[in-house]
Amino acid sequence: MVDLKDPSLYEAGVPWDVLADLRDNDPVHWNPESDGAGFWSVTRHADIVDVSRQPLLFSSAHENGGHRIFNENEVGLTGAGESAIGIPFISRDPPIHTRYRKFVMPALSPVRLGDIEARIRARVETLIAEMPLDRKIDLVPTLAAPLPLMTLAELLGVPGDTWIKLYHWTNAFVGEDDPEFRQSPEAMGETLAEFFAFSQDLFAARRAEPTGDIASLLANAEIDGVPVPFRDFVANLILVLVGGNETTRNSLSHSVIAFSENPDQWDALRADRSLLKTAAPEMVRHASPVMHMRRTATEDTVVGGQAIAKGDKVVLWYISGNRDALVYDQPDRFDIARKGPQHVGFGAGQHVCVGSRLAEMQLRVAFDILADRVSRFEVQAPPRRFRSNFINGLKNLDVILRAA
């Protein structure tokens, strides 16, 4: 029996055949755990959406274990046992979750995003101008990582060159099963201490002089008239950094591979930029940068015909739902003109990613500019992957960009 929790299962690549077999034959599958009670793996798109739309029946709350396979209320948000980190709003149920979203949304409103697009375009122009054509480069540190992290730096109101530290921190936060990112408890302790110092300075500055940035909105949020404590500010800052970085970064990297393998799709996009509108969501669907989220049943219930007991963990495999043949025609095909049901790459229901518009905007802008300058992507070697059951991440991507 395959253990979907095992992070080594994903080191060589996503086990697409395993997920397809589960969708076809055991779509709500019981997965035992060697170090826990086990969990239900939900692999079909319709069931994932159904569970996601019932946040009170299927809880994300910290006190019920949170949003990861491991129990956050036992080992902490990052799986490092760090009690000084509070509870992020992704690990809250309505109505508290809903109130947090209202605090954050003004910084991600269409008006604000319309203003930021020109600056994203300028950043992409600069990054791509510095990338040599017709020579092997590593796309991750030259474009895929700095682009979303520079955008996050702006949204947080911190210097653009902070992206390098943000990159190091976010890898450590999501890399609990990767020895390259979690080299030792001592190294993780140093990383957390460095991040806490950064967070404390930011928290104090935004409390003293609020602006319209996300850091100010999170630092000055109140729940039922009570100011959010620093430890919850830290947790929400981690959420913003991981959510805002990993989705765009890995969708971009995986999509370069997809265009390399499907040059007809790249030719079509270069010839017709109106395809960017459907291409961006297809990039996220095809890449599925966040592989799963977890819920906990608060009552006895049924999912996809399977009885679920109160207290059972329910893991939603977005990466499987996005390849569901019951929903998508030729689901494994990368098709930038694809239309149809909304993918679950950003989740669904109450917990759908608040930054999804911004992520897709960055993908549209990046590939629009690349299309002006690059005729072909030639991947030189298989990338090194995250050792993770959570993030479908690439550590590097050696590629030649052929000049247009």
Side-chain angles (χ1 to χ4, degrees), residues 183-225:
Q183 296 178 3
S184 68
E186 293 77 19
M188 186 60 184
E190 291 176 7
T191 296
L192 287 171
E194 191 177 62
F195 182 71
F196 281 136
F198 166 82
S199 301
Q200 184 64 68
D201 290 345
L202 189 61
F203 183 74
R206 295 304 185 269
R207 277 279 179 95
E209 296 184 24
T211 66
D213 60 38
I214 287 181
S216 293
L217 298 174
L218 292 175
N220 293 282
E222 294 184 354
I223 300 295
D224 296 330

Side-chain angles (χ1 to χ4, degrees), residues 52 66 130 155 201 208 234 248 264 286 329 337 348 378 381 389:
S52 300
E130 294 174 353
L155 292 173
D201 290 345
V234 172
T248 306
D264 61 309
H286 196 261
D329 181 49
E378 298 177 3
N389 60 28

